C-alpha cells in the first residue's frame, strides 16, 4: 500500500494519481489541476465533445469531466501516460473497426499522450452515445 503524503489516502499502487482534498467543481478547474503539458490536449478533447453534443450538460461526475442528458454519456480522465475516455461498452464494440490501434478496455478508450488524438472519431462516438442516451 502507498499513502499519499499530502492527503493521507491509501492506494494499492505507488504514486497513484488522485485528487487530494476536494474534487473539482467544474471542467475548467479539472483541467487546470492537471500537468501543464496535458492541459491543451484536455481542452481539445473537451471542445470536441462539446461541439459534437452541445445539448448535453457539462458536469463533474466521479471527479471527472462528464457530459450527460438522461444519464452519463461520455467522460474523460487524465492519467500519467494517457487520457481515458469512458463510454458504454457497446460504443467501443460498435466502433471497434475504427478504434483499431487504440487501446480499449471494456468501455475505456485510452488515448496515449504524445500521439495524435482521433478527435473526429471521439466526436462520432460522443454523438452515438448521445443518441443511445436519448433512446433509453
Amino acid at each position: 500500500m502507498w499513502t499519499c503524503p499530502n492527503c493521507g489516502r491509501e492506494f494499492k499502487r505507488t504514486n497513484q494519481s488522485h485528487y487530494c482534498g476536494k474534487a473539482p467543481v467544474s471542467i475548467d478547474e479539472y483541467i487546470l489541476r492537471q500537468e501543464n503539458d496535458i492541459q491543451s490536449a484536455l481542452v481539445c478533447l473537451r471542445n470536441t465533445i462539446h461541439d459534437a453534443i452541445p445539448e448535453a450538460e457539462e458536469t463533474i461526475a466521479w471527479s471527472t469531466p462528464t457530459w450527460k442528458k438522461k444519464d452519463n454519456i461520455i467522460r474523460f480522465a487524465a492519467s500519467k501516460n494517457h487520457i481515458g475516455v469512458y463510454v458504454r461498452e457497446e460504443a467501443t464494440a460498435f466502433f471497434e473497426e475504427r478504434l483499431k490501434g487504440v487501446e480499449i478496455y471494456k468501455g475505456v478508450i485510452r488515448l496515449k499522450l504524445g500521439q495524435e488524438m482521433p478527435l473526429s472519431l471521439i466526436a462520432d462516438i460522443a454523438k452515438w452515445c448521445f443518441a443511445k442516451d436519448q433512446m433509453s
Side-chain angles (χ1 to χ4, degrees):
M1 295 293 280
W2 173 74
T3 302
C4 174
N6 298 320
C7 68
R9 288 175 56 196
E10 290 187 348
F11 299 93
K12 289 181 182 177
R13 293 184 302 182
T14 301
N15 294 321
Q16 168 73 43
S17 177
H18 68 282
Y19 291 109
C20 291
K22 218 168 110 176
V25 296
S26 70
I27 295 176
D28 288 330
E29 182 182 345
Y30 177 90
I31 291 171
L32 287 173
R33 286 187 182 189
Q34 306 307 313
E35 299 292 328
N36 290 337
D37 58 341
I38 195 174
Q39 288 180 8
S40 62
L42 295 175
V43 168
C44 236
L45 188 55
R46 176 194 193 176
N47 291 340
T48 296
I49 296 170
H50 174 79
D51 291 348
I53 53 172
E55 306 90 348
E57 174 192 355
E58 288 187 344
T59 188
I60 295 290
W62 296 88
S63 299
T64 62
T66 304
W67 284 259
K68 69 180 197 172
K69 192 72 173 179
K70 290 180 181 176
D71 292 312
N72 291 345
I73 299 165
I74 188 169
R75 63 187 176 93
F76 66 76
S79 295
K80 188 174 183 178
N81 299 313
H82 69 273
I83 299 170
V85 178
Y86 298 81
V87 295
R88 299 174 180 201
E89 272 189 71
E90 61 187 302
T92 56
F94 184 84
F95 288 93
E96 182 178 14
E97 193 63 35
R98 291 181 62 192
L99 285 165
K100 285 207 184 297
V102 177
E103 186 181 349
I104 301 166
Y105 180 73
K106 296 189 178 185
V108 182
I109 302 164
R110 290 184 177 170
L111 306 174
K112 292 185 181 175
L113 298 179
Q115 292 183 349
E116 187 174 338
M117 287 193 294
L119 296 176
S120 64
L121 175 56
I122 296 299
D124 290 346
I125 292 170
K127 290 175 191 175
W128 188 89
C129 290
F130 183 81
K132 287 290 186 184
D133 178 73
Q134 296 308 289
M135 291 190 296
S136 62

